Amino acid sequence: MKQRTLALAGLFQATELVRQAANHGAWSGYAASTCLDSLFAVQSESVEDIYGSNSQMRLGMETLMAVLKGESQHLDSLRYAVGLLQIERKFRKKGRMQDKVGASLVALSQQFDDLELHEKQNLQAREIASLYSETISSISPRIVVNGRPQYLNSERTVNWIRTLLFSGLRSAVLWHQLGGGRWSLMFGRKQILGEAESLFRG
């Protein structure tokens, strides 16, 4: 349950950052770095290795807890998360697309190492956004992001939104791999909330 809860927190951290970026043109860089790094953690031995310390997942935990409690300020984050869970079920059946995504992410993780972190991450986000457009965008239903036009017309913001959606999909895949599913969410809400609160305090 702890690992499943971390995977869900990863999903909601990504979608909350998408909401922030689309509405404010800014987002938590620390939380976004965790999401970006999770895409490259392909051979990790544990969920903790994918996301790092609990402190790196605080935004995701906060969002997950708020959603489970029925609070309304994260409705867009919830909508994006539901959309990614739907996409994950179809992505799971697309072997060629999975192979392309996996190989591309491995190659990308080894690029731009000679640049400063901020510049490296922006370039990685650009390449991941392009990969998202070539692959995940073809899976329906496509996720429609709500926000302010001045931010949704910014190339850098759009690149990060697509990167964050990709990261959310990675967490949705992990959630399924750990045995999570629709019934887990419907009937295990209290247990997930309790685990999230424990992780958040710890």
Side-chain angles (χ1 to χ4, degrees), residues 16-122:
E16 172 58 15
L17 287 166
V18 169
R19 188 197 67 78
Q20 289 180 8
N23 287 281
H24 306 293
W27 52 92
S28 168
Y30 188 69
S33 293
T34 300
C35 289
L36 177 63
D37 290 343
S38 74
L39 283 168
F40 300 133
V42 179
Q43 302 296 331
S44 299
E45 295 184 2
S46 71
V47 176
E48 289 82 1
D49 288 343
I50 294 171
Y51 298 117
S53 66
N54 288 355
S55 64
Q56 292 172 270
M57 299 299 296
R58 288 186 72 84
L59 179 65
M61 292 294 179
E62 287 175 334
T63 308
L64 175 59
M65 289 187 293
V67 167
L68 291 174
K69 290 175 182 176
E71 298 175 11
S72 61
Q73 71 267 36
H74 298 293
L75 286 178
D76 277 342
S77 304
L78 174 59
R79 183 170 63 82
Y80 303 146
V82 170
L84 286 171
L85 288 169
Q86 291 176 316
I87 289 171
E88 185 275 334
R89 287 196 291 274
K90 296 182 179 180
F91 177 69
R92 204 189 307 157
K93 300 172 184 176
K94 295 182 179 292
R96 277 190 195 170
M97 185 182 290
Q98 290 180 40
D99 290 343
K100 178 176 180 177
V101 166
S104 297
L105 289 175
V106 168
L108 185 55
S109 69
Q110 299 164 357
Q111 294 180 24
F112 311 123
D113 285 339
D114 55 333
L115 301 176
E116 292 185 8
L117 182 61
H118 180 72
E119 186 179 1
K120 173 183 176 179
Q121 289 184 336
N122 281 329

Side-chain angles (χ1 to χ4, degrees), residues 142-162:
R142 294 180 65 176
I143 293 176
V144 178
V145 175
N146 294 331
R148 297 185 177 181
Q150 65 263 42
Y151 304 131
L152 295 176
N153 289 327
S154 162
E155 182 181 3
R156 177 174 178 267
T157 301
V158 170
N159 285 344
W160 270 99
I161 285 173
R162 288 175 178 156

